[in-house]
Amino acid sequence: MQAASALSKMFTQIAPPAILLSLLSATSTAHPLSDSAPASQPKPYTVNVDADFIEETRVKASQFRQTEPIEAPAWFDGPPTSEMNAVAKYWAEDYDWSKVQDGINKNFSHFYTTVPSPGGNYGSNESLDLHFIHQRSKRDDAIPILFLHGWPSTSLEWEKVILPLTDPKDDSQPAFHVVAPDLPGYGFSPAPKAPGLGGPEHATVFASLMAQLGYDRYVLYSTDLGTVVAMNYVVDYAPRIINHVTDFYLVFPTDDDNARYAANQTTAEETAYISSINGYLTNHSAYASIHSTLPLSLAYALNDSPVGFLAWRYELAWSVSDVDYTFDELITDALLLYIPGVYGNIRSYKELFGLDSFAPKVPYTVPTTVLQFGGNSHYVELANFNYVPKDWVERTANVTYFKRHEKGGHFPALSQPQWVIDDIRAALA
Ligand SMILES: *[C@@H]1O[C@H](CO)[C@@H](O)[C@H](O)[C@H]1NC(C)=O
Ligand SMILES: *[C@@H]1O[C@H](CO)[C@@H](O)[C@H](O)[C@H]1NC(C)=O
Ligand SMILES: *[C@@H]1O[C@H](CO)[C@@H](O)[C@H](O)[C@H]1NC(C)=O
Ligand SMILES: *[C@@H]1O[C@H](CO)[C@@H](O)[C@H](O)[C@H]1NC(C)=O
Ligand SMILES: *[C@@H]1O[C@H](CO)[C@@H](O)[C@H](O)[C@H]1NC(C)=O
């Protein structure tokens, strides 16, 4: 009995009641649907995370247990201990969530809505709640665009491109109505309550959202796990997609490519790309393996240590990008995935991630814009990861615009926002 009550106490502590409450109250203003109810209408939303939860998290950061370093080269085993100690101290003493939250609310128009269960493999008939940024252009001729982020990001991955796309200074440039949701389990969108929200089911969720907003035809912009969603979207909802713009068109080598590689018959470009893919799979993909096999096991630890979670997501973000993060950015980016609970977002790998899942479903005919940002400065072995040979992309995609940039890494909308803006405009002009 003693053990059982200790267990139940443990579980009570694991669920963050304060934040859950604040998400529930947000949900209740969004009129959750029953199956027979008419489609929900989006409601304006103000981000307002429970202050007690933010304080409890700060206290946890202040109690961060330092790790004794060994004399390995920096980043050899993970983020450096000195940097983690410093960011924990900053979180405990200087970080100001309320200021960040004010910025999030002031800069963008936020909404909350409910979409019906997407069916398919999703194991629940309950509707799903979604938070999204909806920034409308003043221009009558604006083109709607839906942005799909991946892990470890949220809708704020797009914070530097939203306003310039919405209201270009130059009237001859195309303008856009931007819709940028948080994937379920990320940011302010609660996690799905059941397994089975895979690529096709996510696509149906966002197609429902766009239909609610009255957008019949729109551009899709995808990256990372969002690209897995897009690869289903462009087939299942093809007539709705004007153009699929992606900065993450990943093509894995076929058996024939690997045989040519082994026999030194690949081109220099193919060799560099296959080497980077191998470098990722060999040295940098452990996080994805764990997320897609034992997300709950890992979530207990990460949910209990905000600084530990920050380190886990920082390692990946640093490895694949050339973003030079400030402590404020590191903490905010971690918090946005920590607030809903990390289980829901790391678990999405179990539904979305796989070497096959980045390949489009066929027939894929939607006009496609492929943007490649490479040259991340931190690991030579990953420098060509985004440089899929163009003819490999053309094996499956109807490429209408192709652009390769020498840098930008995995988060170009954060590190090279102007290039992303220019490419979207040029591709849709
Ligand atoms: C909001 O906009 C200000 C001014 O452009 C910027 O400094 C800040 O980083 C933005 N905050 C967010 C969350 O986008
Ligand atoms: C969803 O509803 C359908 C029809 O009522 C039912 O057959 C099915 O078992 C339900 N599925 C779940 C996961 O509840
Ligand atoms: C391919 O090239 C490498 C390095 O030049 C060489 O070691 C290897 O033997 C070559 N393999 C074949 C099958 O030619
Ligand atoms: C993995 O990392 C090790 C150590 O840095 C390196 O020697 C090796 O080449 C890397 N593997 C690949 C496939 O890039
Ligand atoms: C590719 O897209 C263009 C532009 O929409 C379209 O005209 C063409 O038919 C598509 N090609 C294929 C092979 O689907």
Side-chain angles (χ1 to χ4, degrees), residues 100 103-104 107-108 156 159:
V100 173
I104 293 172
N107 291 8
F108 305 113
L156 287 195
E159 66 187 346

Side-chain angles (χ1 to χ4, degrees), residues 35 117 122-126 194:
D35 280 339
S117 163
Y122 185 50
S124 167
N125 282 334
E126 275 184 48

